[in-house]
Amino acid sequence: MNALQINAALATDVGLRRRLNEDAGIAERPVYAVADGMGGHDSGEIASELVIERLRALAAASTGGAASADAVADALRQAQREVAELSASRPHGAGSTVSGVALVESAGEPHWLVFNVGDSRVYRSRNGSLVQWTHDHSQLQQWLDAGRITPEQAAESSRSNEITKAVGGDDSDPDFFLAPVVTGERLLICSDGLHGLVSAEALRASLVMGGTPQTTADSLVERALIAGGTDNVTVIVVDVVSGGSLSDPESPSESLASLADVALVHKRRRSAAHHEVEHSAETGDTRYVSRSSRRARILTEADETVLITPSESDDDLDDDTVVIRRGPTAAPDECVVEPVDDTVPVGRASDEADTRPIRRERRARASTDRSQ
């Protein structure tokens, strides 16, 4: 694991419409992650920082350049408890997304343990392709998975910012899966302040241009600002320089829904052949991969990529409202949804104080460069 060389960089910006940056991130081996906070006044800023502090402690305690799956899950559970306590103490609540990767060892080889709660994302680029590794916890994604709406309807929907999971909420179990570390791959970890404004094709183009992690991260932040900068934006770019697998694996790995599944895969890998993540270097089309094959998407052409852009929301909520809906919903053609009794909206308001209150009564450029 010590022979593995990784270069990583982080860039973040408050954006053009906010006074507070409620994003937080970490790019310290073996953990690379972004958290996007939400809540009234400074609650979102505190919530995201609580998540990242747990991961920073994990990085500091790791030895040999790698973490363990158990340690990653423990850190995320502790973050969940702390953010839930913060939310209970605030009149408008608090919450955060978190998406990222941690270096772990499986069957004697370096692997990424990918984790996600909410709608921040992890992408993977190699040989000109772009794969969305994480699967959004959002209302639109649920409708797309169920075939209730088309990608075109999703792109026009006013519900593009509704999330169904958040750290600090009742349903906050992360998605996990394992992927082998491959020399030459580049990972992008970002908040929705980037992927909500910049097309998948533009992301792919930026990643394959060959710049350093720092220049690439900075240029992606700049793209988000040029596109309107309506939200905080945080970007981490991770390059695997050497020491990883020399070629892409050929078979898909398991999609992991819990720490128990992670442990099961580790046990199975010690006694059987690898079950690795399938990657594609295909260009010229966009295709979907089922959840059993990682719930990932190959994103290669803008006109075939599902692009969910910010749009107007309910009359009583700002255009950056994030709503957690826990009950079942129907999805008519207009994507108008009536909340059920236990719906929990998380309102991200963009008022003068740049507050993003969680409405319980309704329920839902600094840059750093690191080389290891």
Side-chain angles (χ1 to χ4, degrees):
M1 189 69 76
N2 288 328
L4 187 66
Q5 183 180 354
I6 293 175
N7 294 340
L10 181 152
T12 187
D13 196 280
V14 70
L16 302 179
R17 298 189 184 180
R18 299 191 180 280
R19 290 171 48 197
L20 293 175
N21 191 344
E22 296 184 314
D23 285 359
I26 177 174
E28 300 174 11
R29 182 168 175 170
V31 184
Y32 309 89
V34 165
D36 179 2
M38 59 201 83
H41 303 286
D42 62 348
S43 296
E45 184 181 27
I46 296 173
S48 61
E49 189 58 35
L50 285 173
V51 175
I52 296 303
E53 281 300 321
R54 288 296 100 208
L55 295 175
R56 189 169 289 119
L58 167 67
S62 299
T63 60
S68 70
D70 287 341
V72 174
D74 286 344
L76 294 176
R77 277 195 292 262
Q78 181 62 30
Q80 160 64 21
R81 287 192 292 268
E82 293 179 359
V83 176
E85 291 172 0
L86 172 68
S87 181
S89 69
R90 299 299 175 101
H92 300 294
S96 180
T97 71
V98 63
S99 291
V101 297
L103 275 172
V104 299
E105 185 175 301
S106 180
E109 299 295 332
H111 281 70
W112 298 115
L113 177 62
V114 186
F115 52 89
N116 179 57
V117 179
D119 62 354
S120 296
R121 291 180 180 175
V122 178
Y123 294 87
R124 189 256 196 183
S125 176
R126 190 171 189 263
N127 294 333
S129 69
L130 180 65
V131 180
Q132 183 183 322
W133 263 359
T134 52
H135 193 70
D136 290 352
H137 297 134
S138 69
Q139 187 65 74
L140 283 182
Q141 190 61 60
Q142 288 184 352
W143 291 340
L144 285 166
D145 292 344
R148 294 177 179 175
I149 61 172
T150 66
E152 292 75 20
Q153 288 175 313
E156 298 298 325
S157 174
S158 63
R159 310 243 176 213
S160 60
N161 47 13
E162 295 180 9
I163 62 173
T164 53
K165 275 189 179 184
V167 179
D170 294 336
D171 180 11
S172 62
D173 291 339
D175 290 341
F176 292 101
F177 72 83
L178 288 168
V181 176
V182 179
T183 296
E185 68 185 352
R186 167 169 277 189
L187 304 186
L188 167 64
I189 306 165
C190 63
S191 61
D192 65 343
L194 177 68
H195 70 71
L197 294 175
V198 180
S199 73
E201 175 57 26
L203 296 179
R204 188 194 67 82
S206 294
L207 292 171
V208 303
M209 285 181 66
T212 67
Q214 190 64 69
T215 58
T216 302
D218 290 340
S219 70
L220 286 169
V221 169
E222 187 64 26
R223 278 183 179 267
L225 298 179
I226 292 172
T230 55
D231 199 356
N232 309 143
V233 55
T234 300
V235 175
I236 296 173
V237 176
V238 182
D239 283 353
V240 181
V241 179
S242 62
S245 173
L246 297 180
S247 61
D248 283 338
E250 297 179 354
S251 59
S253 78
E254 294 85 354
S255 179
L256 306 174
S258 68
L259 178 60
D261 291 334
V262 175
L264 179 61
V265 169
H266 275 269
K267 181 178 180 180
R268 190 154 55 231
R269 284 172 180 268
R270 286 193 295 268
S271 59
H274 291 293
H275 298 280
E276 296 173 330
V277 175
E278 179 183 18
H279 298 299
S280 171
E282 295 176 5
T283 56
D285 72 333
T286 298
R287 64 184 177 86
Y288 289 87
V289 182
S290 67
R291 181 168 180 77
S292 61
S293 298
R294 295 172 296 105
R295 283 201 185 271
R297 288 183 285 171
I298 309 301
L299 308 178
T300 54
E301 285 193 357
D303 60 351
E304 293 186 15
T305 296
V306 177
L307 176 59
I308 302 174
T309 57
S311 56
E312 293 299 321
S313 61
D314 296 342
D315 293 339
D316 60 338
L317 297 175
D318 257 337
D319 60 356
D320 190 41
T321 298
V322 175
V323 184
I324 297 178
R325 300 186 187 278
R326 294 195 174 88
T329 57
D333 292 339
E334 298 78 16
C335 302
V336 175
V337 176
E338 292 298 327
V340 296
D341 292 341
D342 60 350
T343 294
V344 183
V346 177
R348 293 187 181 183
S350 181
D351 57 18
E352 294 180 355
D354 189 34
T355 59
R356 296 190 284 177
I358 297 176
R359 295 180 171 85
R360 286 182 171 274
E361 62 275 15
R362 292 185 55 201
R363 296 284 297 186
R365 180 150 22 170
S367 299
T368 60
D369 187 58
R370 293 179 175 83
S371 299
Q372 289 90 2

